[in-house]
Coordinates of all heavy atoms in Angstrom, one line a residue:
W1 N 152.3 -12.1 -12.0 CA 152.2 -13.4 -11.4 C 150.8 -13.6 -10.8 O 150.1 -14.6 -10.9 CB 153.2 -13.7 -10.3 CG 154.6 -13.9 -10.9 CD1 154.9 -14.3 -12.2 CD2 155.8 -13.7 -10.2 NE1 156.2 -14.3 -12.3 CE2 156.8 -14.0 -11.1 CE3 156.2 -13.4 -8.9 CZ2 158.2 -14.0 -10.8 CZ3 157.5 -13.3 -8.6 CH2 158.5 -13.6 -9.5
A2 N 150.3 -12.5 -10.2 CA 149.0 -12.6 -9.6 C 147.9 -12.9 -10.6 O 147.0 -13.6 -10.4 CB 148.6 -11.3 -8.9
A3 N 148.1 -12.2 -11.8 CA 147.1 -12.4 -12.9 C 147.1 -13.9 -13.4 O 146.1 -14.4 -13.8 CB 147.4 -11.5 -14.1
I4 N 148.3 -14.5 -13.4 CA 148.4 -15.9 -13.8 C 147.7 -16.8 -12.9 O 147.0 -17.7 -13.2 CB 149.9 -16.3 -13.9 CG1 150.6 -15.5 -15.0 CG2 150.1 -17.8 -14.2 CD1 152.1 -15.6 -15.0
A5 N 147.9 -16.6 -11.6 CA 147.4 -17.5 -10.6 C 146.0 -17.3 -10.1 O 145.4 -18.1 -9.5 CB 148.4 -17.5 -9.4
D6 N 145.5 -16.0 -10.2 CA 144.3 -15.6 -9.5 C 143.2 -15.4 -10.4 O 142.8 -14.3 -10.7 CB 144.6 -14.4 -8.6 CG 143.5 -14.2 -7.6 OD1 142.6 -15.0 -7.5 OD2 143.6 -13.3 -6.8
A7 N 142.6 -16.5 -10.9 CA 141.5 -16.3 -11.8 C 140.2 -15.8 -11.1 O 139.3 -15.3 -11.7 CB 141.2 -17.7 -12.5
E8 N 140.1 -16.1 -9.8 CA 138.9 -15.7 -9.1 C 138.9 -14.2 -8.8 O 137.8 -13.6 -8.7 CB 138.8 -16.5 -7.8 CG 138.6 -18.0 -8.0 CD 138.6 -18.8 -6.7 OE1 138.8 -18.1 -5.7 OE2 138.4 -20.0 -6.8
A9 N 140.0 -13.6 -8.6 CA 140.1 -12.2 -8.2 C 139.9 -11.3 -9.3 O 139.4 -10.1 -9.1 CB 141.4 -11.9 -7.5
G10 N 140.2 -11.7 -10.5 CA 140.1 -10.8 -11.7 C 139.7 -11.6 -12.9 O 139.3 -12.8 -12.8
P11 N 139.7 -11.0 -14.1 CA 139.4 -11.7 -15.3 C 140.4 -12.8 -15.6 O 141.5 -12.8 -15.1 CB 139.4 -10.6 -16.4 CG 140.4 -9.7 -15.8 CD 140.2 -9.7 -14.3
S12 N 139.9 -13.8 -16.4 CA 140.8 -14.8 -16.8 C 141.9 -14.3 -17.6 O 141.7 -13.5 -18.5 CB 140.1 -15.9 -17.6 OG 139.1 -16.5 -16.8
A13 N 143.2 -14.6 -17.3 CA 144.3 -14.2 -18.1 C 144.2 -14.7 -19.5 O 144.0 -15.9 -19.7 CB 145.6 -14.6 -17.5
P14 N 144.3 -13.9 -20.5 CA 144.3 -14.4 -21.9 C 145.4 -15.3 -22.1 O 146.5 -15.2 -21.6 CB 144.4 -13.1 -22.7 CG 145.1 -12.1 -21.8 CD 144.6 -12.4 -20.4
V15 N 145.1 -16.4 -22.9 CA 146.1 -17.4 -23.2 C 147.1 -16.8 -24.3 O 146.6 -16.4 -25.4 CB 145.5 -18.7 -23.7 CG1 146.5 -19.7 -24.1 CG2 144.5 -19.2 -22.6
A16 N 148.3 -16.8 -23.9 CA 149.3 -16.3 -24.9 C 149.6 -17.3 -26.0 O 149.8 -18.5 -25.7 CB 150.6 -16.0 -24.2
Q17 N 149.5 -16.8 -27.2 CA 149.9 -17.7 -28.3 C 151.4 -17.8 -28.5 O 152.1 -16.9 -28.2 CB 149.3 -17.1 -29.7 CG 147.8 -16.9 -29.7 CD 147.1 -18.3 -29.7 OE1 147.6 -19.2 -30.3 NE2 146.1 -18.4 -28.9
A18 N 151.8 -19.0 -28.7 CA 153.2 -19.2 -28.8 C 153.8 -18.4 -30.0 O 153.3 -18.5 -31.1 CB 153.5 -20.7 -29.1
P19 N 154.8 -17.6 -29.7 CA 155.4 -16.8 -30.8 C 156.1 -17.6 -31.8 O 156.7 -18.6 -31.5 CB 156.4 -15.8 -30.1 CG 156.7 -16.6 -28.9 CD 155.5 -17.4 -28.5
I20 N 155.9 -17.3 -33.1 CA 156.5 -18.0 -34.2 C 157.9 -17.5 -34.4 O 158.2 -16.3 -34.5 CB 155.7 -17.8 -35.5 CG1 154.3 -18.4 -35.3 CG2 156.4 -18.5 -36.7 CD1 153.4 -18.1 -36.4
A21 N 158.9 -18.4 -34.4 CA 160.3 -18.0 -34.6 C 160.4 -17.3 -36.0 O 160.0 -17.8 -37.0 CB 161.2 -19.2 -34.5
T22 N 161.0 -16.1 -36.0 CA 161.2 -15.3 -37.2 C 162.7 -15.2 -37.5 O 163.4 -14.8 -36.5 CB 160.5 -14.0 -37.1 OG1 159.1 -14.2 -36.8 CG2 160.7 -13.2 -38.4
E23 N 163.1 -15.4 -38.7 CA 164.5 -15.3 -39.0 C 165.0 -13.9 -38.8 O 164.3 -12.9 -39.2 CB 164.8 -15.7 -40.4 CG 166.3 -15.8 -40.8 CD 166.5 -16.5 -42.1 OE1 165.5 -17.0 -42.7 OE2 167.6 -16.4 -42.6
G24 N 166.1 -13.7 -38.1 CA 166.7 -12.4 -37.8 C 166.2 -11.8 -36.5 O 166.7 -10.7 -36.1
M25 N 165.2 -12.4 -35.9 CA 164.7 -11.9 -34.6 C 165.3 -12.7 -33.5 O 165.2 -13.9 -33.4 CB 163.1 -11.9 -34.5 CG 162.6 -11.3 -33.3 SD 160.8 -11.6 -33.2 CE 160.2 -10.6 -34.6
S26 N 165.9 -12.0 -32.5 CA 166.5 -12.7 -31.4 C 165.4 -13.2 -30.4 O 164.3 -12.8 -30.5 CB 167.4 -11.8 -30.6 OG 166.6 -10.8 -29.9
F27 N 165.8 -14.2 -29.6 CA 164.9 -14.7 -28.6 C 164.4 -13.6 -27.7 O 163.2 -13.5 -27.4 CB 165.6 -15.8 -27.7 CG 164.8 -16.2 -26.5 CD1 163.7 -17.1 -26.6 CD2 165.1 -15.7 -25.3 CE1 163.0 -17.5 -25.5 CE2 164.4 -16.1 -24.1 CZ 163.3 -17.0 -24.3
R28 N 165.3 -12.7 -27.3 CA 164.9 -11.6 -26.4 C 163.8 -10.7 -27.0 O 162.8 -10.4 -26.4 CB 166.1 -10.8 -26.0 CG 165.9 -9.7 -25.0 CD 167.1 -8.9 -24.8 NE 166.9 -8.0 -23.7 CZ 167.2 -8.2 -22.4 NH1 167.6 -9.4 -22.1 NH2 167.0 -7.3 -21.5
E29 N 164.0 -10.4 -28.3 CA 163.1 -9.5 -29.0 C 161.7 -10.2 -29.1 O 160.7 -9.6 -29.0 CB 163.6 -9.2 -30.3 CG 162.8 -8.1 -31.1 CD 163.4 -7.7 -32.4 OE1 164.5 -8.3 -32.8 OE2 162.8 -6.9 -33.1
A30 N 161.7 -11.5 -29.5 CA 160.5 -12.3 -29.6 C 159.7 -12.3 -28.3 O 158.5 -12.2 -28.2 CB 160.8 -13.7 -30.1
K31 N 160.5 -12.5 -27.2 CA 159.9 -12.6 -25.9 C 159.3 -11.3 -25.5 O 158.1 -11.2 -25.0 CB 160.9 -13.0 -24.9 CG 160.4 -13.0 -23.4 CD 161.6 -13.4 -22.5 CE 161.1 -13.3 -21.0 NZ 162.1 -13.6 -20.1
E32 N 160.0 -10.2 -25.8 CA 159.4 -8.8 -25.5 C 158.1 -8.6 -26.2 O 157.2 -8.0 -25.7 CB 160.5 -7.8 -25.8 CG 161.7 -7.8 -24.8 CD 162.8 -6.8 -25.2 OE1 162.7 -6.3 -26.4 OE2 163.7 -6.6 -24.4
R33 N 158.1 -9.0 -27.5 CA 156.9 -8.8 -28.3 C 155.7 -9.6 -27.7 O 154.6 -9.1 -27.6 CB 157.1 -9.2 -29.7 CG 158.0 -8.2 -30.5 CD 157.9 -8.5 -32.0 NE 158.7 -7.6 -32.8 CZ 158.7 -7.6 -34.1 NH1 157.9 -8.4 -34.8 NH2 159.5 -6.7 -34.7
A34 N 156.0 -10.9 -27.3 CA 155.0 -11.7 -26.7 C 154.4 -11.1 -25.4 O 153.2 -11.1 -25.1 CB 155.5 -13.1 -26.5
V35 N 155.4 -10.6 -24.6 CA 155.0 -10.0 -23.3 C 154.1 -8.8 -23.5 O 153.1 -8.6 -22.9 CB 156.2 -9.7 -22.5 CG1 155.8 -8.9 -21.2 CG2 156.9 -11.0 -22.0
A36 N 154.5 -8.0 -24.5 CA 153.8 -6.7 -24.7 C 152.4 -7.1 -25.2 O 151.4 -6.4 -24.8 CB 154.5 -5.9 -25.8
S37 N 152.2 -8.0 -26.1 CA 150.9 -8.4 -26.6 C 150.0 -9.0 -25.5 O 148.9 -8.6 -25.3 CB 151.1 -9.5 -27.7 OG 149.8 -10.0 -28.1
W38 N 150.6 -9.8 -24.6 CA 149.9 -10.4 -23.5 C 149.4 -9.3 -22.5 O 148.3 -9.3 -22.1 CB 150.8 -11.4 -22.8 CG 150.0 -12.2 -21.7 CD1 149.4 -13.4 -21.9 CD2 149.8 -11.8 -20.4 NE1 148.8 -13.7 -20.7 CE2 149.1 -12.8 -19.7 CE3 150.2 -10.7 -19.6 CZ2 148.7 -12.7 -18.4 CZ3 149.9 -10.6 -18.3 CH2 149.1 -11.6 -17.7
E39 N 150.4 -8.4 -22.2 CA 150.1 -7.3 -21.2 C 148.9 -6.5 -21.7 O 148.0 -6.1 -21.0 CB 151.3 -6.4 -21.0 CG 152.2 -7.0 -20.0 CD 153.3 -6.0 -19.6 OE1 153.4 -4.9 -20.3 OE2 154.1 -6.2 -18.7
R40 N 148.9 -6.1 -23.0 CA 147.9 -5.2 -23.5 C 146.5 -5.9 -23.4 O 145.6 -5.3 -22.9 CB 148.1 -4.9 -25.0 CG 147.1 -3.9 -25.6 CD 147.3 -3.6 -27.0 NE 146.4 -2.5 -27.5 CZ 145.1 -2.7 -27.7 NH1 144.5 -3.9 -27.5 NH2 144.3 -1.6 -28.0
E41 N 146.4 -7.2 -23.8 CA 145.1 -7.9 -23.7 C 144.7 -8.1 -22.3 O 143.5 -8.0 -22.0 CB 145.2 -9.2 -24.4 CG 145.3 -9.1 -26.0 CD 144.1 -8.4 -26.5 OE1 143.0 -8.7 -26.2 OE2 144.4 -7.4 -27.2
Y42 N 145.6 -8.3 -21.4 CA 145.3 -8.5 -20.0 C 144.8 -7.2 -19.4 O 143.7 -7.2 -18.7 CB 146.5 -9.0 -19.2 CG 146.1 -9.1 -17.7 CD1 145.4 -10.2 -17.3 CD2 146.5 -8.2 -16.8 CE1 145.0 -10.4 -16.0 CE2 146.1 -8.3 -15.5 CZ 145.4 -9.4 -15.1 OH 145.0 -9.5 -13.8
V43 N 145.5 -6.1 -19.6 CA 145.1 -4.8 -19.1 C 143.7 -4.4 -19.6 O 142.8 -3.9 -18.9 CB 146.1 -3.7 -19.4 CG1 145.6 -2.3 -19.0 CG2 147.4 -4.0 -18.6

């Protein structure tokens, strides 16, 4: 949350690309992949 709100204290949080719905992939799995991608780029 701090990374989302605090652009002045650290680098700008990378903008997450909206995940494309993939047949056979649950919402939870798609969300976990999006979070992992965002976390890596942010760190």
Side-chain angles (χ1 to χ4, degrees):
W1 288 341
I4 293 170
D6 197 357
E8 295 176 358
S12 298
V15 178
Q17 298 295 319
I20 300 172
T22 304
E23 189 171 348
M25 183 185 295
S26 68
F27 168 80
R28 185 184 187 88
E29 186 179 359
K31 176 180 175 181
E32 288 174 351
R33 287 193 181 187
V35 170
S37 176
W38 187 93
E39 276 188 351
R40 183 184 189 283
E41 288 304 308
Y42 179 77
V43 169

